[in-house]
Amino acid sequence: MATDQAGRPPAVLEVRDVRVTVNGVRALGGVSFDVPEGSLFGLIGPNGAGKTTIMNVISAVITPQQGSVRFRGEELTGTGTVARVRAGILRSFQQVRLLEGMSVLDNLLLGRERFRVVGLLRQIGGSRTGRRQARRDLAVVEEVAAVLGLSDLLHRDVQDLPFGVRRLVDVGRAFAAEPDLLLLDEPAAGLDVTSRRLLLEAIKRAQSTTGATVMLVEHDVDMVRRACGESVVLSNGEVLARGTPAEVLADPAVLRAYFGRSDA
Amino acid sequence: MPDRRSPARRLRPVLLLAPLVVLPLLLDSFSLYQATMILIYVTAIIGLDIVFGRAGVLSVAQAVFIGIGAYTAAWMSRTTTVSIGVELIAAAVIAGLAAILVGLPALRVSGLRLAILTFAFVELFQWVVTTFASITGGTQGLLVNPGGFGTVTTADPLVGYGLAAVIALLATWLVIRLQRNPIGRSMAAVKNSNLLAESAGVSTVRTKLTAFMLSGMLGGLAGVVLAHVSGSVTPAGFTVFSSLNLLVALILGGTGRVHGAWLGAAYVVLMPELFARLGIPNAYPIVNGAVLMLLLVVMPGGIAGVLDGIRDRVRRSGAAPPPPLTPVPERSSS
Ligand SMILES: Nc1ncnc2c1ncn2[C@@H]1O[C@H](COP(=O)(O)OP(=O)(O)O)[C@@H](O)[C@H]1O
Ligand SMILES: [Mg+2]
């Protein structure tokens, strides 16, 4: 186990010296950080910093050339995406991905797939275990929908919903999976200021009710300051700083990298 | 869960089933034969819809599974005295296993490359049937003895019709069950993208193989009935063109929709007949191709898609507009 300063909760995720090269371009050049249990953890950095890449590594969408990722003290390297999801590591993508033409309810229920144990025949024919699981799935999904404010929309087709609500459904599917660790890749991207705030509030609410550890990529510094506990700043595939939002955002190196060249 | 459906909705199956029961009593023998063929097509097309419409895997191997079912039935009807129930089970098992085999490449490749690989299985089937002529009858094919349960046999066209109807309804029930079921959701996720599926914990491997197996089993069942109704099997009935015909029917009727398979089946059985009656049978393939191209551009959801669109528009005219993101009021803990 990594030695931590006294008083800090144990790290649920330990990223160690992860290096990724895509098509000869260095995306991550030896990234290390710990994500403390039960926190809303901020992952900040300008475009191209490597935030999506590190999420891809953690969820096994890509394999790093070097380095290791440990979840609850166990080495993840070598396991696939589905195995990690079943272990409780969920994620959303920068681009909204939904079951188009299906209801909000169906989309949220998809998050329950990781708990599925009932086999094909009994699934089609119906079984006591299957029905019990279906009841539990529905209960969890309704709870998540209530926390996120989707209760009245459960039977709407996601295709008919505005972008902000679709984002919320995307995030809701991940929360419906009762994640231990949830990676959210710029969930508020493309939303207006009001919707961003509402979405992040909803995420914060869901995080505190479920107790999940959430790693959040977000560009808006004010939002990060308000929502996140500990944070890491990435730039050019390297960790620039780590600490509370107030600490990292006061770091001169961060000020230079972040505000020196991005949206500002 | 309690049945929250309204009485009108609970009556719907009865209203849809009644014609199936009454129809055979009214039809002349040729029309009865056509109705039977439609029902056989329904089963085979629903099988294809599970793999293509639901799981999004393009396969041209569906004719192979029908062929396996048909040859299984032909061979068993000639060499054994078992009931047609045994033939159906054997055909479903063999065709289901074959389908898992055909589905294996789907784990590595997708899209058009996969379609070409499934095409290779059609060629393999053709080669096996023509090579092992002592069992299969080669290009000449086999005559099929009537099958049935005891004295009730497919020598009576009504029995063939009844069998085709029961199996088509079974297939329809299966696909309706799938729709609102974790398996159906997994398939929808896989169809959407492997990334979405896997990030929700859905095994794309298991889901695709399940879809192939179900499609193969339904194809096999359809094949058994087809063999007994037509009285003979030849390899020419199970070529890549047979598969493409099913694919056209499915796309025309509407993929991923229960009634799409029914509409598509009716189209491919009745249209050639219509052209024949008009005295221009050769025009069918040309018109068919043109209609397909037109439909793909104008109505990608097929005939069923257009019908659903009209229904949704009627329903939506009374519905509230979609809301933007709204604040969630604090809930009092209860
Ligand atoms: N598929 C890819 N092809 C080429 N370069 C890539 C690819 N994915 C990531 N990169 C490179 O890796 C770096 C990190 O990208 P990314 O992780 O997407 O950044 P972020 O999410 O922080 O905006 C970028 O410099 C980008 O050019
Ligand atoms: Mg990114």
Side-chain angles (χ1 to χ4, degrees):
Chain A
M1 287 291 279
T3 47
D4 258 313
Q5 295 152 277
R8 278 178 62 187
V12 66
L13 187 80
E14 300 157 64
V15 177
R16 288 291 172 275
D17 195 30
V18 168
R19 290 163 199 268
V20 174
T21 306
V22 186
N23 303 336
V25 181
R26 191 194 72 168
L28 294 176
V31 167
S32 305
F33 60 87
D34 284 355
V35 179
E37 172 106 60
S39 62
L40 186 53
F41 185 87
L43 182 60
I44 350 182
N47 274 329
K51 306 182 294 294
T52 300
T53 306
I54 194 70
M55 288 197 163
N56 285 342
V57 169
I58 298 168
S59 57
V61 170
I62 62 171
T63 311
Q65 272 78 28
Q66 199 185 313
S68 87
V69 178
R70 292 161 77 88
F71 177 61
R72 298 198 179 291
E74 284 190 35
E75 182 60 52
L76 284 179
T77 311
T79 60
T81 300
V82 173
R84 294 188 194 188
V85 172
R86 292 201 157 237
I89 303 176
L90 275 287
R91 74 169 292 181
S92 75
F93 293 91
Q94 230 168 307
Q95 178 198 353
V96 177
R97 290 175 194 274
L98 299 176
L99 301 177
E100 302 299 344
M102 295 179 88
S103 67
V104 171
L105 180 64
D106 278 322
N107 272 276
L108 296 182
L109 281 171
L110 179 62
R112 304 296 300 167
E113 268 303 296
R114 80 178 183 99
F115 299 107
R116 202 175 104 205
V117 287
V118 177
L120 174 70
L121 277 179
R122 290 202 293 165
Q123 198 69 252
I124 292 169
S127 74
R128 190 184 292 255
T129 324
R131 277 191 294 275
R132 198 181 317 123
Q133 195 182 335
R135 270 196 301 276
R136 162 133 184 86
D137 291 347
L138 196 63
V140 172
V141 161
E142 281 176 348
E143 176 64 27
V144 167
V147 171
L148 296 180
L150 290 170
S151 296
D152 296 335
L153 302 174
L154 283 176
H155 298 286
R156 298 292 280 262
D157 186 332
V158 291
Q159 259 167 346
D160 300 338
L161 297 173
F163 184 65
V165 182
R166 286 166 57 82
R167 279 277 188 201
L168 203 52
V169 176
D170 200 38
V171 170
R173 180 188 59 238
F175 273 111
E178 301 182 275
D180 293 309
L181 173 66
L182 174 54
L183 317 172
L184 296 177
D185 199 350
E186 301 198 33
L191 298 181
D192 61 69
V193 178
T194 318
S195 301
R196 288 172 90 81
R197 214 189 56 238
L198 289 168
L199 180 74
L200 290 175
E201 274 170 15
I203 290 171
K204 209 175 162 185
R205 214 163 41 237
Q207 190 271 328
S208 63
T209 27
T210 58
T213 308
V214 176
M215 187 162 128
L216 177 73
V217 173
E218 172 55 41
H219 271 303
D220 190 322
V221 171
D222 266 346
M223 298 286 176
V224 174
R225 206 179 316 224
R226 222 175 313 168
C228 294
E230 200 162 325
S231 300
V232 151
V233 182
L234 281 186
S235 177
N236 263 325
E238 283 174 4
V239 174
L240 267 194
R242 65 198 101 203
T244 65
E247 285 165 13
V248 298
L249 293 172
D251 193 303
V254 173
L255 289 174
R256 226 175 305 123
Y258 207 83
F259 300 103
R261 65 177 247 209
S262 75
D263 347 343
Chain B
M1 244 191 291
D3 195 345
R4 286 200 218 96
R5 290 175 296 175
S6 64
R9 290 199 67 162
R10 252 180 282 177
L11 258 178
R12 203 161 65 176
V14 179
L15 290 176
L16 292 173
L17 285 181
L20 274 183
V21 177
V22 178
L23 211 58
L25 306 174
L26 306 175
L27 295 176
D28 61 65
S29 68
F30 181 67
S31 303
L32 183 65
Y33 171 76
Q34 284 192 313
T36 308
M37 290 307 290
I38 291 176
L39 292 167
I40 293 170
Y41 266 99
V42 165
T43 305
I45 294 172
I46 286 178
L48 183 59
D49 188 37
I50 289 175
V51 104
F52 177 62
R54 315 270 164 175
V57 181
L58 182 56
S59 158
V60 294
Q62 191 63 6
V64 170
F65 311 136
I66 304 170
I68 289 173
Y71 273 96
T72 303
W75 186 78
M76 287 178 83
S77 79
R78 293 163 66 92
T79 55
T80 70
T81 54
V82 295
S83 84
I84 201 168
V86 179
E87 290 178 14
L88 287 167
I89 292 168
V93 170
I94 299 171
L97 290 176
I100 291 176
L101 215 62
V102 175
L104 284 177
L107 312 180
R108 291 246 148 239
V109 294
S110 58
L112 206 56
R113 280 202 284 169
L114 178 66
I116 292 168
L117 278 171
T118 61
F119 174 54
F121 278 92
V122 183
E123 292 304 293
L124 178 66
F125 175 79
Q126 289 288 328
W127 178 81
V128 168
V129 169
T130 44
T131 305
F132 299 93
S134 57
I135 301 168
T136 62
T139 48
Q140 297 292 306
L142 292 173
L143 288 177
V144 186
N145 293 332
F149 308 90
T151 53
V152 183
T153 74
T154 51
D156 180 352
L158 271 179
V159 173
Y161 172 88
L163 203 62
V166 168
I167 291 172
L169 289 174
L170 185 85
T172 305
W173 172 81
L174 174 79
V175 82
I176 290 174
R177 286 288 298 182
L178 275 185
Q179 216 154 298
R180 314 237 103 237
N181 171 299
I183 299 170
R185 269 196 300 276
S186 317
M187 288 180 185
V190 168
K191 181 182 183 182
N192 182 297
S193 76
N194 281 357
L195 225 46
L196 170 64
E198 300 213 325
S199 70
V202 173
S203 158
T204 53
V205 170
R206 211 168 80 171
T207 306
K208 284 180 184 174
L209 289 184
T210 302
F212 262 103
M213 186 189 73
L214 291 174
S215 80
M217 291 173 81
L218 291 180
L221 293 176
V224 172
V225 188
L226 181 67
H228 282 291
V229 167
S230 48
S232 67
V233 293
T234 61
F238 313 104
T239 62
V240 73
F241 296 105
S242 328
S243 284
L244 289 175
N245 200 31
L246 294 173
L247 204 56
V248 168
L250 174 61
I251 293 170
L252 230 46
T255 55
R257 295 159 214 263
V258 179
H259 45 311
W262 285 77
L263 292 166
Y267 179 91
V268 290
V269 173
L270 298 180
M271 283 310 269
E273 177 57 23
L274 178 69
F275 279 92
R277 293 230 173 138
L278 292 175
I280 43 170
N282 293 337
Y284 169 67
I286 301 163
V287 174
N288 198 24
V291 166
L292 179 68
M293 272 194 271
L294 191 72
L295 287 188
L296 283 179
V297 175
V298 181
M299 37 191 266
I303 305 169
V306 173
L307 295 180
D308 287 356
I310 294 169
R311 184 199 61 197
D312 288 352
R313 212 165 303 155
V314 171
R315 270 194 205 161
R316 214 170 288 164
S317 59
L325 273 189
T326 49
V328 182
E330 283 298 319
R331 289 179 308 155
S332 53
S333 49
S334 51

